[in-house]
Amino acid sequence: MTPAVLRPLPDGEQIWLEDTPLTIGRDPSCDVHLDVASMSRIHAQIDRTPHGYVLADLGSRNGTFLNGTRIETTPQPLRDGDEIVFAGVASFRFIDPAATPAAPLIGRLTGVWIEPDSGTVWVDAQRVDPPLSQRQQALLELLDRHADTHVSRQTIIEHVWSDVAADGVTAQALDSLVKRLRSRLRPLQVNGELLDVTRDRGIRLRRR
């Protein structure tokens, strides 16, 4: 069975989880050596069980966070696409190749795929979790309907902020929304930038 990997965020050389248990910490003896002051000497551990991979904090001072929630010494199951943050400074994406074959059954292998019924968003066969905010979702769905075509800023404002007067939405509000959406998509992108922002032409979602 192909082992899972840890992929540093936003980029870096991925770590194959071939031999477990795998320790993470500041001590050079750790399997994953992170020479960062806020890391504990032996900070956390990943193990492989008959039911999949699990992550446990080893009593670190600054904590181990799984999808934004601090975990304790009780091992927590890892799922494909999970984000792990050690001591608030070292971020990784957990990728389990054994789980990815399910993704193509519901959409494309590359680019953005939005499930028609649930609205669940996939980026390069990885699910966006937690879900996007309401306005982020509305923006992405609009861009997806016009993929590979620039959508004007005015059209976006009228669609995403349909509940308020268009002249009450500032350019800064739209720029901020695009920035937040881009920050949610980027950690999952494998084949380059998806959003193309041009001041005079608008915003485009690359189909790939």
Side-chain angles (χ1 to χ4, degrees), residues 28-67:
S29 66
C30 289
D31 300 301
V32 179
H33 176 218
L34 300 176
D35 190 14
V36 180
S38 57
M39 292 285 297
S40 295
R41 291 187 61 201
I42 303 179
H43 194 103
Q45 179 172 295
I46 294 176
D47 206 352
R48 189 174 187 174
T49 75
H51 304 290
Y53 291 88
V54 294
L55 168 71
D57 185 84
L58 298 181
S60 70
R61 179 174 182 178
N62 293 311
T64 299
F65 299 81
L66 179 60
N67 297 323

Side-chain angles (χ1 to χ4, degrees), residues 39 41 64 68 76 82 121 144 148 172 177 184 200 207:
M39 292 285 297
R41 291 187 61 201
T64 299
Q76 299 296 310
D82 280 349
V121 177
D144 186 56
D148 285 330
Q172 290 78 9
L177 178 63
R184 294 297 312 279
D200 57 341
R207 175 71 72 184

Side-chain angles (χ1 to χ4, degrees), residues 124-145:
D124 290 340
Q126 299 179 73
R127 187 176 65 181
V128 176
D129 188 31
L132 300 175
S133 70
Q134 183 177 354
R135 295 203 195 280
Q136 291 170 0
Q137 184 84 12
L139 172 57
L140 188 62
E141 289 178 353
L142 175 66
L143 297 176
D144 186 56
R145 288 200 295 271

Side-chain angles (χ1 to χ4, degrees), residues 8 80 195:
D80 184 55
L195 293 183

Side-chain angles (χ1 to χ4, degrees), residues 108 110-113 124 140 143-144 146-150 182 189 191-198 203-208:
R108 294 184 297 274
T110 60
V112 169
W113 168 255
D124 290 340
L140 188 62
L143 297 176
D144 186 56
H146 301 276
D148 285 330
T149 301
H150 282 90
R182 178 173 270 166
Q189 294 173 183
N191 299 309
E193 188 63 62
L194 283 166
L195 293 183
D196 175 25
V197 181
T198 306
I203 304 169
R204 175 179 59 150
L205 176 68
R206 299 179 188 274
R207 175 71 72 184
R208 290 195 193 150

